[in-house]
């Protein structure tokens, strides 16, 4: 894939390796804004490329064991948040809305 706004790795990795994989994904795809790798807990490591190329990281809860979110959903929410002007550091967790 040559062009993408957000990338996702499907393979869960330990947190330190997940951070490294996110950096690799963003380095390999210069036009990509956000990349996510699920870690081996219920968290997801997301990297966001800043204006000067620096990468900011956030590690977000994917909804817990009761309602886990895919890393695809997590990176989509983070991408939408950032392009609308939100700070990645302001995000603490992402959880699905309960069904009615």
């Amino acid at each position: 894939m040559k062009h993408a706004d957000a990338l996702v790795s499907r393979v869960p990795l330990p947190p330190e390796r997940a951070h490294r994989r996110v950096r690799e994904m963003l380095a390999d795809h210069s036009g990509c804004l956000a990349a996510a790798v699920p870690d081996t807990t219920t968290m997801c490591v997301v990297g966001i490329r800043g204006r000067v190329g620096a990468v900011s990281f956030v590690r977000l809860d994917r909804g817990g064991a009761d309602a886990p979110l895919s890393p695809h959903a997590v990176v989509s929410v983070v991408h939408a948040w950032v392009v609308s002007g939100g700070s990645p550091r302001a995000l603490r967790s992402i959880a699905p809305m309960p069904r009615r």
Side-chain angles (χ1 to χ4, degrees):
M1 174 178 297
K2 291 188 177 216
H3 306 283
D5 290 333
L7 296 171
V8 177
S9 174
R10 295 180 182 168
V11 179
L13 297 172
E16 185 176 311
R17 287 186 54 209
H19 276 84
R20 195 174 9 201
R21 181 67 185 126
V22 165
R23 278 194 187 282
E24 292 168 356
M25 291 165 65
L26 290 172
D28 291 345
H29 299 87
S30 61
C32 181
L33 175 68
V37 176
D39 70 22
T40 50
T41 68
T42 61
M43 305 294 275
C44 187
V45 175
V46 180
I48 300 96
R49 184 186 316 278
R51 291 186 181 130
V52 294
V55 177
S56 298
F57 284 97
V58 339
R59 193 163 169 244
L60 297 167
D61 183 359
R62 290 188 294 131
D66 292 339
L69 293 171
S70 75
H72 298 83
V74 173
V75 78
S76 293
V77 168
V78 172
H79 180 271
W81 177 263
V82 171
V83 298
S84 68
S87 166
R89 299 280 182 215
L91 292 170
R92 298 288 178 243
S93 68
I94 296 172
M97 295 287 293
R99 289 187 175 175
R100 292 181 185 221

